[in-house]
Amino acid sequence: MKPRVSVIVPVYNEGDAIVRCLERMLREMLLPAEVLVVHDMPEDTTVPYVEAVARTDRRVRAVLNTYGRGPANAIRFGIDAALAPVVVVTMADGCDDPRQIDELARLVDRGVVVAAASRYMPGGQQVGGPRLKRMMSRWAGRSLYTFARVGTRDATNSFKAYDTAFVREVGIESRTGFEIGLELTAKATRLRLPVAEIPTIWLDRPLGESHFDLGRFLPGYLRWYFFAYGRRLSREKLAGRGTPSGVVPAQRDPQHSTEFEKTA
């Protein structure tokens, strides 16, 4: 059966901690799904544990990212490899609520191109996490919602569902961190396409060590934060903004009907 939702989980040396994350996810999802655990290197400590889970549940597969290291490239690769019309990006650290994967996917089924799990709307909450990062994320989310009208109070949260065709049409330019969620929200806003949100309770990483580097990723977030404030763009004008330096435009793979990019 073809999956209705592809869940993209970027990982980096999660080890056996990934097992608990996958078990919760597989238990809570009811829609036909595939879970792509995307790793950057064959020797990643996550791989043997993912393969062990995959032997008992065919929805799971380990996928080697060949676009370049880092979470942005892993997410890009996972979306290009996805088979479903809806993709959901979630983290491997247990912070996101897997019960909401189906709910986010159903919002996309109903017509939105981006469905966000929001910590900052009524009913949402963020428990724990670095104070500075928390303050900056909340300020960015509220200001974008109020002044840029992005459709969600939590544009920076990575836990989102996307219309796969929309993502492949507008492309992903991010190459470093987790700013993809903000990039795609900003692009949907500039195209005046629908974005929706549901409240979520985000819990600080209970497993392992965070790989988020605020100083490294901040320039990417700022780029897309300011981009969201521009005037309405047509699809042609958005496509005409150009391809990031050093990147060959995506090509269609005839066997898998997904787009695969090559980095120079």
Side-chain angles (χ1 to χ4, degrees):
M1 179 184 297
K2 183 177 179 180
R4 287 180 58 191
V5 56
S6 296
V7 182
I8 312 301
V9 188
V11 296
Y12 179 76
N13 286 337
E14 303 291 339
D16 62 354
I18 193 64
V19 175
R20 180 179 174 188
C21 173
L22 291 175
E23 286 177 345
R24 290 180 61 223
M25 196 179 301
L26 295 168
R27 183 173 65 246
E28 300 294 349
M29 292 188 307
L30 300 178
L31 292 174
E34 62 173 353
V35 179
L36 308 182
V37 183
V38 188
H39 54 97
D40 291 343
M41 49 192 181
E43 63 271 22
D44 190 297
T45 62
T46 320
V47 175
Y49 296 98
V50 176
E51 292 177 341
V53 174
R55 285 194 287 270
T56 62
D57 195 314
R58 297 179 60 185
R59 290 176 290 178
V60 177
R61 56 189 172 109
V63 179
L64 177 62
N65 162 36
T66 61
Y67 285 178
R69 293 193 176 189
N73 287 319
I75 294 170
R76 288 174 53 232
F77 189 92
I79 292 175
D80 280 351
L83 299 176
V86 179
V87 291
V88 174
V89 176
T90 185
M91 298 298 106
D93 53 18
C95 294
D96 300 326
D97 186 349
R99 294 175 300 176
Q100 296 184 301
I101 291 174
D102 285 1
E103 189 175 0
L104 290 168
R106 287 191 176 101
L107 276 175
V108 177
D109 277 344
R110 292 174 59 191
V112 307
V113 298
V114 179
S118 175
R119 299 163 288 184
Y120 308 133
M121 69 178 293
Q125 186 179 357
Q126 179 169 349
V127 180
R131 183 177 180 183
L132 177 60
K133 176 186 170 186
R134 196 167 66 237
M135 290 174 58
M136 292 176 66
S137 173
R138 182 182 293 271
W139 174 83
R142 287 183 172 178
S143 58
L144 284 168
Y145 180 78
T146 302
F147 301 112
R149 301 181 183 276
V150 298
T152 173
R153 299 164 182 84
D154 199 354
T156 63
N157 195 1
S158 295
F159 188 26
K160 290 184 172 73
Y162 305 100
D163 181 291
T164 307
F166 159 75
V167 178
R168 291 175 180 165
E169 179 182 0
V170 303
I172 295 174
E173 299 171 44
S174 300
R175 294 293 184 269
T176 52
F178 296 95
E179 67 269 23
I180 285 176
L182 178 54
E183 174 187 344
L184 293 173
T185 303
K187 287 182 173 179
T189 300
R190 294 290 299 274
L191 290 169
R192 302 300 188 261
L193 295 173
V195 175
E197 64 180 355
I198 60 172
T200 193
I201 297 177
W202 183 94
L203 302 176
D204 190 23
R205 183 182 177 104
L207 304 171
E209 179 182 353
S210 173
H211 304 297
F212 186 88
D213 184 338
L214 180 60
R216 179 186 172 200
F217 299 155
L218 185 59
Y221 279 99
L222 289 174
R223 174 193 178 190
W224 295 111
Y225 175 87
F226 290 112
F227 177 81
Y229 284 92
R231 295 180 179 179
R232 180 174 184 171
L233 283 177
S234 67
R235 295 172 188 264
E236 292 74 21
K237 287 183 178 180
L238 181 62
R241 292 176 61 249
T243 303
S245 176
V247 178
V248 178
Q251 301 295 323
R252 177 71 61 181
D253 183 306
Q255 293 183 337
H256 300 288
S257 296
T258 55
E259 294 174 352
F260 289 85
E261 296 177 355
K262 295 180 181 179
T263 52

